[in-house]
């Protein structure tokens, strides 16, 4: 008497093995007969194949962990640098000390070549612009934005910085209460770009504004 044989499809076999992950523990001899594709074109046992996959995944996870650790260290350094800058600005006892603290921190800690505060009110030795027309020329660069970044012409750069410096790119932010403008400059034309984030610049400008509000 001929017995009907049911042919299992590949999907049924795969589904069975998925539901019974310990199958090859019960039949370990079968792993030696399996033909698993390998990069070299040869055949390897299931255990060796799984071991290689786990090793690759472990390497990927280790790389991600290292990246997270490095990002955490970078954030710690940035936090400490920002904290020191904030304390220096708050400790400043004159508007000249505010600008000097800003310049020192930006050059030494952040690698920014120029840092400048331009006020719209007279203030001792700091750069002050009281002429309405000159203020208008400065403000027109901002439009409706609170901060700008990128490149300007040499003539336009001179509006934002005290001296005739070779500024390749700049970032500027309006100070609160219409006090003036905070400007950062770098010799490289690629340092400050038009699409960069200005959150840090906005934060520094707010601290400077509050301190100058008290000292002026």
């Amino acid at each position: 008497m001929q017995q009907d044989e049911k042919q299992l499809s590949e999907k049924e076999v795969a589904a069975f093995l998925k539901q019974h992950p310990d199958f090859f523990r019960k039949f370990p001899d079968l792993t030696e007969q399996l033909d698993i594709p390998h990069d070299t074109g040869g055949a390897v046992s299931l255990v060796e194949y799984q071991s290689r996959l786990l090793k690759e995944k472990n390497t990927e996870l280790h790389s991600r962990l290292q990246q997270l650790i490095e990002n955490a260290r970078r954030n710690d350094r940035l936090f400490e640098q920002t904290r020191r800058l904030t304390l220096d600005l708050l400790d400043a006892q004159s508007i000249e000390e505010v600008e000097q603290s800003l310049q020192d921190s930006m050059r030494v800690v952040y690698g920014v070549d120029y840092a400048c505060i331009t006020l719209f009110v007279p203030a001792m030795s700091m750069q002050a612009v009281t002429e309405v027309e000159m203020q208008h020329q400065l403000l027109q660069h901002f439009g409706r934005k609170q901060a700008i970044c990128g490149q300007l012409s040499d003539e336009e750069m001179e509006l934002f910085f005290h001296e005739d410096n070779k500024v390749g790119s700049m970032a500027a932010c309006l100070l609160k209460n219409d006090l003036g403008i905070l400007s950062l400059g770098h010799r490289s034309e690629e340092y400050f770009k038009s699409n960069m984030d200005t959150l840090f610049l906005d934060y520094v400008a707010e601290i400077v504004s509050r301190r100058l509000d008290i000292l002026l």
Side-chain angles (χ1 to χ4, degrees), residues 85 89 92 94-104 106-107 114-129 138 158-163 171-176 178-185 201 204-213 215-216:
L85 171 60
L89 291 174
S94 67
I95 53 179
E96 290 81 18
E97 288 185 11
V98 170
E99 187 172 46
Q100 190 62 52
S101 297
L102 180 67
Q103 290 175 346
D104 292 343
M106 288 299 166
R107 289 172 181 169
Y114 310 107
C116 171
I117 299 174
T118 301
L119 297 178
F120 291 160
V121 293
M124 300 293 288
S125 60
M126 290 184 65
Q127 174 168 305
V129 175
L138 284 165
E158 292 179 9
L159 292 173
F160 290 90
F161 296 93
H162 292 193
E163 303 171 359
C173 185
L174 295 173
L175 297 176
K176 308 300 179 183
D178 298 323
L179 288 175
I181 298 173
L182 167 64
S183 306
L184 305 179
L201 180 61
V204 174
E206 186 170 354
I207 297 296
V208 170
S209 299
R210 293 195 179 192
R211 193 58 187 153
L212 290 179
D213 237 351
L215 297 172
L216 286 172

Side-chain angles (χ1 to χ4, degrees), residues 58-208:
N58 181 62
T59 300
E60 181 182 354
L61 291 175
H62 179 73
S63 177
R64 290 183 180 180
L65 179 60
Q66 289 298 111
Q67 186 176 2
L68 289 174
I69 293 175
E70 181 58 33
N71 287 340
R73 289 173 177 169
R74 189 183 301 110
N75 289 336
D76 284 343
R77 290 193 296 269
L78 180 59
F79 172 79
E80 178 58 30
Q81 292 166 352
T82 304
R83 185 185 73 87
R84 172 47 51 191
L85 171 60
T86 301
L87 292 177
D88 287 344
L89 291 174
L90 294 177
D91 287 342
Q93 298 302 308
S94 67
I95 53 179
E96 290 81 18
E97 288 185 11
V98 170
E99 187 172 46
Q100 190 62 52
S101 297
L102 180 67
Q103 290 175 346
D104 292 343
S105 294
M106 288 299 166
R107 289 172 181 169
V108 176
V109 179
Y110 299 98
V112 176
D113 296 316
Y114 310 107
C116 171
I117 299 174
T118 301
L119 297 178
F120 291 160
V121 293
M124 300 293 288
S125 60
M126 290 184 65
Q127 174 168 305
V129 175
T130 56
E131 295 84 358
V132 175
E133 178 59 30
M134 184 67 75
Q135 292 181 12
H136 176 71
Q137 290 185 42
L138 284 165
L139 293 174
Q140 69 178 355
H141 291 285
F142 291 90
R144 295 184 179 182
K145 297 179 293 184
Q146 195 69 18
I148 57 173
C149 297
Q151 300 178 21
L152 297 176
S153 67
D154 292 341
E155 294 75 15
E156 291 171 321
M157 289 291 193
E158 292 179 9
L159 292 173
F160 290 90
F161 296 93
H162 292 193
E163 303 171 359
D164 184 17
N165 297 311
K166 295 298 182 182
V167 181
S169 58
M170 63 163 290
C173 185
L174 295 173
L175 297 176
K176 308 300 179 183
N177 303 324
D178 298 323
L179 288 175
I181 298 173
L182 167 64
S183 306
L184 305 179
H186 200 278
R187 293 186 181 92
S188 171
E189 296 181 356
E190 300 297 323
Y191 192 87
F192 291 111
K193 298 184 179 181
S194 59
N195 61 348
M196 71 184 302
D197 181 61
T198 61
L199 181 62
F200 174 70
L201 180 61
D202 294 336
Y203 171 77
V204 174
E206 186 170 354
I207 297 296
V208 170

Side-chain angles (χ1 to χ4, degrees), residues 34-38 40-45 48:
L34 293 177
D35 185 2
I36 307 295
H38 191 263
T40 59
V44 295
S45 69
E48 184 180 352

